[in-house]
Amino acid sequence: MPDLTTKSGAGVRAQAWGRDGSLQDDFAVDQIGPVTLLRNAPSPAATSCLAIADYLADKYLQVRRP
């Protein structure tokens, strides 16, 4: 198991690409009919999912929360 004990700089990260071939650094939101799609939600999404939901509800769904 030496491959598991040696540190290296390689890693894998899911990353969305734009149509022009550039990396998407931020969230991508699309609305198709009644469906709102959130793409490219990297690691912060797991820890900030409630804040992201509030943002989407306010900006894209016009739902204001108290």
Side-chain angles (χ1 to χ4, degrees):
M1 279 200 303
D3 58 326
L4 298 177
T5 59
T6 304
K7 251 187 175 180
S8 68
V12 176
R13 178 180 174 209
Q15 187 75 35
W17 296 77
R19 290 190 184 271
D20 63 356
S22 62
L23 289 175
Q24 297 283 319
D25 290 331
D26 207 352
F27 303 124
V29 180
D30 294 306
Q31 289 185 296
I32 302 172
V35 178
T36 301
L37 305 165
L38 173 64
R39 297 178 289 111
N40 198 44
S43 60
T47 56
S48 59
C49 62
L50 295 177
I52 293 168
D54 282 341
Y55 170 77
L56 291 172
D58 181 42
K59 183 165 174 85
Y60 293 94
L61 305 176
Q62 288 80 39
V63 176
R64 299 256 177 207
R65 293 175 48 144

